[in-house]
Structure formats: structure tokens, C-alpha cells
Amino acid sequence: RLGALAGELVLDAYRDQLSQARELLARGDVPAALETLEALLAAKPDHGQALIALGDARLTMREPDRALDAYERALQKRGNDPSALVGAGLALVELGRYEGALAPLARAIADAGGDRGILADAYRGLGVAWRRRGDLAKAIRELRKAVVEDGEDASARAALGEALVADGGSLEEALRHLERAAAGEHPPALALY
């Protein structure tokens, strides 16, 4: 397994295309990233990292069903890769399949190896899933962890603020999170609401 991963990471002939696609995603040029990823996957359909990046792009485009397909294909290729697990969990949350999202998100946390980005996304996904299932205490607990891992995640702060308001608990804490989430350039609608 390590040899296969090393080959994929170090000797990958598609490394430049993948790097370019990730850079395009980071800049917000999702259509160009999708074009690059689809070209890469046409040449190498089982490229695990490209499938994860494709899932990320599809989630950004609000296509959770297509994102889930990409993540599931990546998990078949890469086993329990935490990036693919968190992506699959987030796609399931977007699809309203909250119960199904809990296991991959929890597994992503267990396998994250301290990666704060993965932890923040997984905790946010768990928090939203628990909130939609009606368990405010668990939602608040997970969303607080998400904010600790990534204090700049406006979506996590907005979800935490909303859950705190719904819980009727600390309205001062809720207001602090909601104001911070609303202060960004592109605030989540939940924070403004």
C-alpha cells in the first residue's frame, strides 16, 4: 500500500495537471478546474487524488450527487483516505442523508492525523448533520470543534450561531459567531438571516 501511494505521490505523470486543477479550485475558477480534472481522469480514470479534487469541485458547484460519486470512486482506489471520507460525508449532508453522513465524517476525524483542514470540515459536517437530525447538543459540540480548528470558517460560525439561538442557550456567544460570520466578503445567508 505504501509503495502504491508513494508511486502515486512522487512518480505520478499527472502531478502537474492535478496541481494546476487544485490551484484553479483555490482561486475559485471551478469550471477550468473541472476541465483539467476531466481531462486527467479521461487519461487515468482511477487516479485517486484527482477523483477527490473532482469531488471537491462538484461540491463547490452544488452538485452533491456527482461529488459523492467521485468520492466513492476515490475511496475504492485509496481506501479510507480522510479527504475522500470527509468529502463523501459532506456530500451526504448536502443530499439530506444525515444518518449516512455520520460514519464517514467520524472516520475522517479518526484518520485525519491532525490535519486541521480535514478536522474542521468533518466537525462542521457532523454539526450540521446532528442539527438537521434535531440533536442540538451534539450539533453545538461538533460546531464548536469546527470553529476551534478553523476560526475563519464563516459557514461553521453561522451554523454554530444558529444552533445556539435554537437551543436558547448563550445568545451572546451566538451573536458573536453570527456577527463574525456576517462580516466576511461573502457571508453565509444563515448568518445574515
Side-chain angles (χ1 to χ4, degrees), residues 1-191:
R1 172 127 169 90
L2 285 176
L5 287 175
E8 187 174 328
L9 292 173
V10 178
L11 303 175
D12 191 344
Y14 302 98
R15 181 179 50 225
D16 292 339
Q17 277 181 283
L18 181 60
S19 178
Q20 178 187 11
R22 286 179 174 157
E23 185 177 313
L24 289 166
L25 271 174
R27 287 195 322 235
D29 191 351
V30 181
L34 282 170
E35 185 178 317
T36 301
L37 289 166
E38 287 169 355
L40 189 160
L41 289 165
K44 186 167 173 64
D46 63 344
H47 193 292
Q49 292 178 343
L51 288 166
I52 293 169
L54 178 64
D56 294 345
R58 294 290 181 202
L59 267 184
T60 302
M61 295 293 292
R62 305 252 189 253
E63 298 173 350
D65 51 340
R66 295 177 78 184
L68 182 59
D69 177 64
Y71 292 128
E72 286 176 341
R73 289 173 41 209
L75 287 167
Q76 289 173 354
K77 172 69 177 156
R78 297 181 56 88
N80 285 328
D81 183 297
S83 296
L85 285 166
V86 78
L90 292 174
L92 288 166
V93 168
E94 290 294 318
L95 289 167
R97 294 167 46 191
Y98 309 118
E99 185 70 32
L102 298 176
L105 291 169
R107 181 65 190 254
I109 290 167
D111 293 350
D115 184 317
R116 295 188 81 181
I118 290 172
L119 290 170
D121 288 344
Y123 287 134
R124 184 184 69 244
L126 279 173
V128 171
W130 284 118
R131 173 68 179 106
R132 298 297 174 253
R133 292 187 73 230
D135 193 326
L136 284 170
K138 288 181 181 176
I140 291 168
R141 182 188 69 223
E142 299 303 331
L143 290 166
R144 281 181 173 146
K145 292 177 191 175
V147 170
V148 166
E149 294 298 335
D150 182 359
E152 301 304 314
D153 185 342
S155 295
R157 285 190 179 275
L160 176 56
E162 185 276 334
L164 288 165
V165 169
D167 187 48
S170 172
L171 295 181
E172 288 179 23
E173 180 187 0
L175 185 58
R176 186 176 70 247
H177 290 296
L178 291 168
E179 285 177 341
R180 186 145 173 211
E185 187 174 328
H186 301 288
L190 183 60

